[in-house]
Amino acid sequence: MQGTVGELGEFGLIRELTARVPLTDAVDLGPGDDAAVVKAPDGRVVATTDVLIENRHFRRDWSTAYDVGRKAAAQNLADVAAMGAVPTALLLGLVAPADLPTTWATELMDGLRDECQVAGATVVGGDVVRGDTVTLAITALGDLQGRAAVTRAGAQVGDVVAVTGWLGWSAAGLTVLQRGFRSPRAFVEAHRRPEPPYHAGPAAAELGATSMIDVSDGLVADLGHVARASQVDIDLKAADFDVPAQMADIGQAVGVEPLVWVLSGGEDHAIVATFPRGVQLPARWRVVGEVTGRPRGTRSGRVTVDGAPWDRVGGWDHFAE
Amino acid sequence: MQGTVGELGEFGLIRELTARVPLTDAVDLGPGDDAAVVKAPDGRVVATTDVLIENRHFRRDWSTAYDVGRKAAAQNLADVAAMGAVPTALLLGLVAPADLPTTWATELMDGLRDECQVAGATVVGGDVVRGDTVTLAITALGDLQGRAAVTRAGAQVGDVVAVTGWLGWSAAGLTVLQRGFRSPRAFVEAHRRPEPPYHAGPAAAELGATSMIDVSDGLVADLGHVARASQVDIDLKAADFDVPAQMADIGQAVGVEPLVWVLSGGEDHAIVATFPRGVQLPARWRVVGEVTGRPRGTRSGRVTVDGAPWDRVGGWDHFAE
C-alpha cells in the first residue's frame, strides 16, 4: 500500500477502502456504482447525517483513526436507533489532505466497519475528495421494521423519563485528556469510543416509548429538545443517577462535580426515552425523572433537576467558540 | 436575519435552513429529529453521497450560493437517476466558517430545494458544523419503483451506447470562466447550473437499459467505468456527436477542439446507457457508439473513439493536483 492518499490516488484509495467492508443481507448493491441499493423492508427508511472535523470533533493525537471511525459511525447509528429503527447502512464522505497516510484512511474504515457490525449495519458507499482538513460526513440509514418512528415530540405529562447506556463517561474522559492525562483508561476509552446501546432503541419503541433521543449534546440539553418538541416540562431527580465511585474520584481530583458530567456531558450516546408510567422496563433502563407540565398554554419546555433550573455547562453549539 | 452564521448560532441557522424546505408525500418525518423518515415504497432505497469543497468544486466568486446548491443537489440526484431510480430525498452536511453570511447559507438551501423540486425530491435533514472551509456533504436517496437497479456492469457486446442530456457545455463554460470571461452565458450558466435529465434514468430502466451511468467525470472516463465493470469494450463514433456551432466558435477562440469538451468534459450530468440493439429510444436519446468486445479473456474494458484510443484530457482524479 502506498504511503499517502495522494500517492495512491482517488480510485486507488476507493479500492482500498471498499475492499475492507463486508456486505450484509440488507445490501442489494454495495460500493462502486453511481449509488448503493439498500433493502428497506419496512417501506420507509430512516436517514441521518453528521459531519465531523479534525480538531473540532476529534484530534488525531488523542484518538487513533480506528477510534475516530468507531465514534463517527456510533454517533450516526445511535441517531437511527433513537428513532426506534435498526441501522442498516452507512455512507462515508471523506475529505483528506494528500499527505494523509493511507493507513489512517484504511484504519478509519476498519473502525466504521466494526462499529457498523456492532449495530448490524455495513458501509455501502461514499465519496473521497481532497481538502486541507480531515473531515468525515457520515450518513446512516435504518429500518423501522413496521414500528412507528419514536420522535422527540410525543412525551406526555405523567410519563417517566428513563435512560440506558453510559452518561458522563465521555465528558470525564475528555476532561482527563484536556488536563494532559491518559488515564483512568476506562474514561479515556469511553471518550474515544462510545458504546451506544443500539438495541435499546428498537426495544424502547416496542415497549411503547412516547419520545426518544440519543444523548449527544448532554442529557439536560437533549431532553430540552424533547420538552420543547413535546410542549411539556421534564424534571430529573439527581439522586436517581448513578455516579460511579471512580468518576467521583476523578471529579475530586480535577475539581468538577461529577453530576455535571452526567447531566451535561455528551458523546456517550446513551438513549433517553419517555414511557407511560407503569411500563415494565428492562433491567438496564434507569428511571431518572418524570414528565411534568402545567395547564396548557403555560408549558415552557423546561428541564429542571430536583425542581430547579440546571445551568451547569449547557449543551453544545457547533458555532460557539 | 443576523449577518453571519456565527452570530446566528447552530440552532438559529438550522431553523433558518429547515424553514425553507417543503415536505413532500415521500417524507414521513422531515428535519428536526434524530433522523428523518422517508418513504421507500419499493422496499429498497438507493443512496449516494458526494462531498464538495470550496475552491476545489466551486468558487464563491464564480457561482452564487444558489447555483452551488443547485449544482450540489444535481450531481447527487443524477447519481440516483442513473440507477434507474426516482429521487426522493436529500440530506445536507454543511461546514461553514463563522463569518459566512447567513444569506449565503439560506440561498444555498434555496438552490438545493429548487433542484430537488425539479427531480421530485426534497431536503429532509442534515447537519451544520463550523469549520474553516465551506464544505457540502450531500446524500441523495431514491426509489426504484419496482425496477431492477441499472448498474455499470450489465453492458453486453452488441448493445448500442446512447446518451441524453448535455455534453461538454459545463467544460466549455469552465474554460470561458478560467480565461476571465463571463460569456457566452449559455455555457457559463451550464457550468454553474447543470440540468441533468432526471426523468431519463427511470425511463431508460423501463426501456431495458443494460447499464447506465451519469456523466460526471467525462463521457469517455465514465464509460470506462462501464466497460471495466461489464468486461466489454466500447467504441464511440465521433461523427455521431452533435457539436453546437456556438461551442465550435468558443473552441476556435480559445484554441480547444470542442470534441474534447464533449468527450472529456464532466459535470453536465448527462446520462449514458447501453441498450440492446433495436430498442426504440425516445427522441432525446442519441446513439453515439456500440459495445464491442473480443473473445472472452481478452476483453480489456477499453473505450475508443472511431476505433482509436482517446487520451485527450482524461477523467478527474480528486487527489491529482
Side-chain angles (χ1 to χ4, degrees):
Chain A
M1 195 183 305
Q2 287 170 281
T4 69
V5 299
E7 288 159 22
L8 194 58
E10 179 186 5
F11 295 111
L13 177 59
I14 290 173
R15 268 192 303 275
E16 283 292 339
L17 296 181
T18 56
R20 308 180 92 79
V21 295
L23 301 185
T24 67
D25 288 346
V27 183
D28 273 4
L29 183 69
D33 220 292
D34 287 323
V37 182
V38 179
K39 287 198 179 74
D42 174 86
R44 297 166 295 171
V45 62
V46 169
T48 181
T49 289
D50 272 339
V51 179
L52 293 88
I53 302 184
E54 179 172 14
N55 295 335
R56 184 152 188 92
H57 301 97
F58 61 88
R59 283 177 54 162
R60 278 197 265 165
D61 54 342
W62 282 359
S63 293
T64 63
Y66 182 82
D67 284 345
V68 172
R70 294 286 301 240
K71 189 168 183 168
Q75 74 178 61
N76 281 276
L77 298 166
D79 278 330
V80 169
M83 301 303 292
V86 173
T88 53
L90 192 138
L91 297 101
L92 164 70
L94 172 63
V95 180
D99 65 358
L100 186 75
T102 301
T103 50
W104 199 92
T106 54
E107 286 165 15
L108 172 81
M109 184 58 87
D110 289 345
L112 293 170
R113 174 197 65 205
D114 289 355
E115 191 65 25
C116 277
Q117 192 172 21
V118 171
T122 192
V123 181
V124 296
D127 188 25
V128 296
V129 302
R130 181 167 165 177
D132 293 333
T133 308
V134 179
T135 305
L136 281 60
I138 309 274
T139 300
L141 306 179
D143 189 72
L144 284 161
Q145 301 180 321
R147 290 179 294 271
V150 183
T151 71
R152 303 173 176 185
Q156 302 292 324
V157 173
D159 284 351
V160 298
V161 177
V163 64
T164 188
W166 308 90
L167 281 178
W169 286 62
S170 177
L174 177 61
T175 303
V176 165
L177 285 165
Q178 284 169 334
R179 304 288 165 99
F181 299 105
R182 301 264 167 160
S183 65
R185 280 194 67 78
F187 293 90
V188 171
E189 284 301 306
H191 176 70
R192 290 188 175 131
R193 197 188 296 178
E195 293 184 359
Y198 299 115
H199 61 283
E206 293 282 357
L207 287 167
T210 53
S211 73
M212 184 152 54
I213 192 168
D214 87 298
V215 181
S216 51
D217 296 342
L219 184 68
V220 170
D222 287 315
L223 280 174
H225 298 308
V226 170
R228 286 188 294 277
S230 300
Q231 295 183 273
V232 296
D233 292 336
I234 287 173
D235 188 48
L236 301 174
K237 300 273 166 275
D240 288 343
F241 289 90
D242 175 39
V243 177
Q246 205 179 9
M247 190 186 287
D249 291 346
I250 305 172
Q252 197 153 36
V254 299
V256 173
E257 189 194 334
L259 196 63
V260 173
W261 288 325
V262 170
L263 295 182
S264 300
E267 296 205 316
D268 287 301
H269 304 288
I271 289 182
V272 61
T274 55
F275 297 90
R277 196 171 294 272
V279 166
Q280 194 71 28
L281 293 172
R284 297 200 183 185
W285 286 86
R286 176 179 283 263
V287 174
V288 293
E290 59 183 345
V291 179
T292 60
R294 285 155 301 162
R296 191 166 286 278
T298 63
R299 291 175 185 172
S300 60
R302 285 193 320 161
V303 180
T304 50
V305 178
D306 297 331
W310 176 262
D311 53 7
R312 312 282 293 277
V313 195
W316 178 257
D317 182 319
H318 282 116
F319 285 99
E321 276 298 347
Chain B
M1 195 182 307
Q2 286 171 280
T4 69
V5 299
E7 288 159 21
L8 194 58
E10 178 187 5
F11 295 110
L13 178 58
I14 290 172
R15 268 193 302 274
E16 284 292 338
L17 296 181
T18 56
R20 308 179 92 79
V21 294
L23 300 185
T24 66
D25 288 346
V27 183
D28 272 4
L29 183 67
D33 219 291
D34 287 324
V37 182
V38 180
K39 288 198 178 72
D42 174 87
R44 296 166 295 170
V45 62
V46 168
T48 181
T49 288
D50 272 339
V51 179
L52 292 88
I53 302 184
E54 179 172 16
N55 294 334
R56 183 153 188 90
H57 301 97
F58 61 89
R59 283 177 53 163
R60 277 198 265 163
D61 53 343
W62 282 359
S63 294
T64 64
Y66 181 82
D67 284 344
V68 171
R70 294 288 299 241
K71 189 168 183 168
Q75 73 178 63
N76 281 276
L77 298 166
D79 278 331
V80 169
M83 300 304 291
V86 173
T88 53
L90 193 137
L91 297 101
L92 165 70
L94 173 64
V95 180
D99 65 359
L100 186 75
T102 301
T103 51
W104 199 92
T106 55
E107 287 166 15
L108 172 81
M109 184 58 87
D110 289 345
L112 293 170
R113 175 197 63 206
D114 289 355
E115 190 66 25
C116 278
Q117 193 172 20
V118 172
T122 193
V123 181
V124 296
D127 188 25
V128 296
V129 303
R130 181 166 166 179
D132 294 332
T133 308
V134 179
T135 305
L136 281 61
I138 309 274
T139 299
L141 307 178
D143 188 73
L144 283 161
Q145 300 180 323
R147 289 180 294 271
V150 183
T151 71
R152 303 173 177 187
Q156 301 293 321
V157 174
D159 285 352
V160 297
V161 177
V163 64
T164 189
W166 307 90
L167 280 178
W169 286 62
S170 177
L174 178 61
T175 302
V176 165
L177 285 165
Q178 284 170 333
R179 305 287 166 99
F181 298 104
R182 300 265 166 161
S183 65
R185 279 194 69 77
F187 293 89
V188 171
E189 283 302 305
H191 176 70
R192 290 189 175 130
R193 196 187 299 177
E195 293 185 359
Y198 299 114
H199 61 284
E206 291 283 358
L207 288 167
T210 53
S211 73
M212 185 152 53
I213 193 168
D214 88 297
V215 181
S216 51
D217 296 342
L219 183 67
V220 170
D222 287 315
L223 280 174
H225 298 309
V226 170
R228 286 188 293 278
S230 299
Q231 296 184 273
V232 296
D233 292 336
I234 287 173
D235 188 48
L236 301 174
K237 300 273 168 272
D240 289 344
F241 289 90
D242 175 40
V243 176
Q246 205 180 9
M247 191 186 286
D249 291 346
I250 307 172
Q252 197 153 37
V254 299
V256 173
E257 189 194 334
L259 195 63
V260 173
W261 287 324
V262 170
L263 294 182
S264 300
E267 296 203 318
D268 287 300
H269 303 289
I271 289 183
V272 61
T274 54
F275 295 91
R277 196 172 294 272
V279 167
Q280 195 70 30
L281 294 173
R284 297 199 185 187
W285 287 86
R286 174 180 285 261
V287 174
V288 294
E290 60 182 345
V291 179
T292 60
R294 284 154 303 163
R296 191 166 286 277
T298 63
R299 289 175 186 172
S300 61
R302 285 193 320 162
V303 179
T304 50
V305 179
D306 297 332
W310 176 262
D311 52 7
R312 313 280 295 277
V313 194
W316 178 257
D317 183 319
H318 283 116
F319 285 100
E321 274 300 349

